[in-house]
Each structure stands twice: as structure tokens, then as C-alpha cells.
Amino acid sequence: MFVKEGEYLFLEGDKGTSLVIVKSGMLVGMSKQLRQRHWRNFGPGSIIGEFSLLESKPREYTLRAAENSEVLFIEQKALQRELEHKPGWFQSTLSFLANHCHIAEENLKKSKIVQALPALLFLFSKHLVASGSDNIALATLQKKMLVLNNTEFSETERLLQLLEEFDILKIEGETIRVPNLQIIPLLYEALRYRALNKQVSPDILSITEQLVLTAFVKAVKENGISIRGNKATVPTEMLKAEAKKAMHGGTLTRRIIAPLTASGILEASPASGQSPVLDDTDSFTADFYHVIDLLELNRIFPLLDKKLV
């Protein structure tokens, strides 16, 4: 069958009743994915619509001829007639292979998204630093992702929607806005550290450490403690009381708090010795907003990992 340039063969969403083989020329498939149009070219030897034919699924593309082309249509009824003359296991095998192809395609898509995440965070972090702005145009980010990581527009937007689910950013029309300017750089560095060192970033805290920092934040907020130059100081007894609530009756000890003081997240005053209790420490000081950002990072990181892996 010959088709002229610009002629449509079928529309996205149509019921699939045939398979198309391109003998010569060029066809172009267009799929309306998210808000960007996704294009795919089909040259000689391309097979289009195999899943639609085998599984009676809707067409994935709107297909038209980019130039005068010759194509071969294989109708579903003709294929069924041929299958009737094959052993019973033959059609079951085709269905099995089709299902595994779908699984492989989904795994490939997920893998591409996982690999694209660090590149997206890097570009966003770089833009935030360079511009001092809390937003970037969607089209600009998509183009940069295409150049840097060969990530298609639709894949970039799918990843942005995933990050929006975790309140990392907001998609506002054609603009991407970041409510918290620190969280994207922190998330990028955590992923980068794991990739380079094959171990978890120091910013990814244990549950107990998170509970202690949560107690610190709560003590500041509920007791009207002033924040000066981003720093807040919480008396030890007050922190112990809040930590006891957070840890469901557990006692805050030096062993529990040691990783936080060793990393510099909390500063003990005065600096203490090796005593297992905290009676010789008057207070603990921390960059209050950094603690807030760390807690947010630790909320997001495992959820994002679970979603992507």
C-alpha cells in the first residue's frame, strides 16, 4: 500500500486491528504525553502496532507519512487465521513474550528516570545558585536535560511530577518553582555521595538521630527560643524532656547524641567528656534552618528511593 506525504494511517487511541511494516519512506508517530508532544520516526523495516495487534490495545501513536511511503498492513483477522493452523502453544508463547516485552519497557523507562534524577537535580542546583531565583522555565529545563542527559521532554516532566509529589517543587503552568532553595542541593549531594562512595551520605540520619533533631526543633518552637544568625540554643534538660516524648519514654544519652555532635550538626556547651549521661552539658546549639532542611531531606530520601527502585 502506498501512502502520500502528510496522509494519516491511524490516530492515537484508535482500536488496534492491524500491524504496519514500513517497506520504504518514512512515517512519524506522535503521542500526546503529558504536556509535550513526543515524536518517533519509523523508517524502512520498522514494525508498528505489534502489541495493539496481539492484545487489541489502543494505538500508542498518531501515525502519518513524513514522505511518500510504501507500507504493508497485516490485519488482526488474517493473523488469527494463521494462528489457527499453528500448535496451541504458539499463541500462548506470543502472549507471554508480549507481556515480558511490556515489563522490559516499563523497567527501561524506570531505569531512565532513575538515571536522569541526578542530572535534573544538578541542573536545578546550578540554576538556583547562578540566578538566585527560586524558579526556572519548564522548557529551559527540558532542553538542558535533553543536551546533558539525552532525556526526552516527557521523561523530564514525568520526573518533575514525581518530585512534586514529595513537595520538593511546584509545577506552576510552564514554570517550575522550588519553595525550599536548600533541599534540591542537599538531595543532589546525597545522591552524588552515594554514587561516588558506594555508601550512604552522612546527611542521611538514623531514625533515632532524626527523633533527637525533631525534639530540638520542637523545643525551639514551643518554648519561644530565639534564633540568632540562624543559630538556636536549647538547654539540655529541655532537649531531654522533648526527646523522651519523641522516643516514647526513651532516655537521651551521650551515646545517642554523639553522632550528631561528631558531625557538627549539634554543638555541646561546654564540650563534654566520655560520660554516658548529659548532666555535664548545659545546652546544645545548632543551625536551626539547616536542621529543618536535614529533617526534610531524610523524609524525602527513603520515599524517593522506594518510588524509583
Side-chain angles (χ1 to χ4, degrees):
M1 173 182 176
F2 289 93
V3 289
K4 296 180 179 180
E5 179 182 349
E7 185 176 343
Y8 285 84
L9 286 81
F10 50 73
L11 301 178
E12 182 180 3
D14 285 352
K15 183 178 180 181
T17 59
S18 60
L19 178 148
V20 181
I21 300 175
V22 183
K23 298 183 70 175
S24 65
M26 181 68 69
L27 305 182
V28 61
M30 183 185 75
S31 176
K32 188 64 170 66
Q33 295 185 2
L34 305 176
R35 288 173 290 181
Q36 297 293 331
R37 294 188 180 276
H38 173 60
W39 301 87
R40 183 176 174 184
N41 293 324
F42 299 96
S46 296
I47 299 175
I48 309 159
E50 60 272 29
F51 292 136
S52 296
L53 181 66
L54 289 170
E55 303 171 348
S56 299
K57 289 190 174 181
R59 298 292 190 185
E60 295 182 81
Y61 297 93
T62 291
L63 191 67
R64 67 175 177 82
E67 58 186 58
N68 293 336
S69 307
E70 183 181 3
V71 300
L72 175 64
F73 274 87
I74 299 178
E75 297 295 332
Q76 189 176 49
K77 290 181 179 179
L79 178 63
Q80 290 296 336
R81 285 197 300 269
E82 288 297 321
L83 290 176
E84 288 174 2
H85 300 293
K86 302 292 182 183
W89 52 263
F90 190 78
Q91 186 165 0
S92 297
T93 301
L94 287 179
S95 297
F96 173 81
L97 291 174
N99 183 55
H100 275 260
C101 282
H102 283 310
I103 294 173
E105 281 188 345
E106 288 303 312
N107 287 339
L108 179 60
K109 289 178 182 178
K110 182 177 287 189
S111 176
K112 290 177 73 175
I113 291 293
V114 171
Q115 293 172 12
L117 177 59
L120 179 66
L121 295 174
F122 168 75
L123 285 175
F124 226 136
S125 298
K126 188 175 180 181
H127 172 78
L128 293 173
V129 171
S131 68
S133 171
D134 68 347
N135 67 85
I136 185 172
L138 172 61
T140 300
L141 192 58
Q142 287 172 318
K143 290 174 183 176
K144 288 185 176 183
M145 282 294 289
L146 184 62
V147 172
L148 176 66
N149 201 61
N150 196 31
T151 303
E152 295 180 359
F153 282 17
S154 60
E155 291 171 345
T156 295
E157 190 168 353
R158 188 176 295 112
L159 187 51
L160 289 170
Q161 287 184 339
L162 174 62
L163 296 178
E164 187 177 41
E165 288 181 25
F166 298 111
D167 297 324
I168 299 173
L169 51 80
K170 299 291 183 184
I171 302 175
E172 300 176 352
E174 298 302 316
T175 301
I176 311 301
R177 191 175 304 279
V178 184
N180 183 340
L181 297 180
Q182 299 304 316
I183 196 62
I184 283 185
L186 276 175
L187 184 55
Y188 170 69
E189 288 300 331
L191 290 170
R192 181 173 176 271
Y193 186 95
R194 185 170 66 178
L196 292 176
N197 299 284
K198 309 302 180 186
Q199 56 183 317
V200 177
S201 165
D203 286 338
I204 303 304
L205 309 173
S206 70
I207 296 298
T208 301
E209 290 164 359
Q210 292 178 55
L211 290 175
V212 173
L213 292 183
T214 300
F216 182 90
V217 171
K218 192 172 182 180
V220 172
K221 289 182 175 180
E222 294 190 353
N223 293 279
I225 293 175
S226 60
I227 301 171
R228 298 176 181 176
N230 294 342
K231 296 278 189 175
T233 299
V234 175
T236 299
E237 289 305 313
M238 187 181 295
L239 183 59
K240 287 168 66 176
E242 289 296 342
K244 186 173 184 179
K245 297 175 189 176
M247 294 188 295
H248 306 289
T251 302
L252 183 63
T253 65
R254 191 169 306 286
R255 181 181 61 80
I256 290 174
I257 211 166
L260 295 172
T261 54
S263 64
I265 297 174
L266 292 180
E267 299 174 10
S269 180
S272 54
Q274 301 301 316
S275 172
V277 295
L278 298 178
D279 294 341
D280 55 346
T281 302
D282 296 331
S283 62
F284 288 91
T285 301
D287 183 323
F288 182 76
Y289 300 108
H290 181 59
V291 169
I292 294 288
D293 291 336
L294 282 178
L295 288 173
E296 180 66 1
L297 172 67
N298 281 270
R299 177 189 72 84
I300 293 168
F301 197 86
L303 297 175
L304 194 60
D305 249 8
K306 184 176 180 180
K307 189 81 171 183
L308 292 175
V309 175

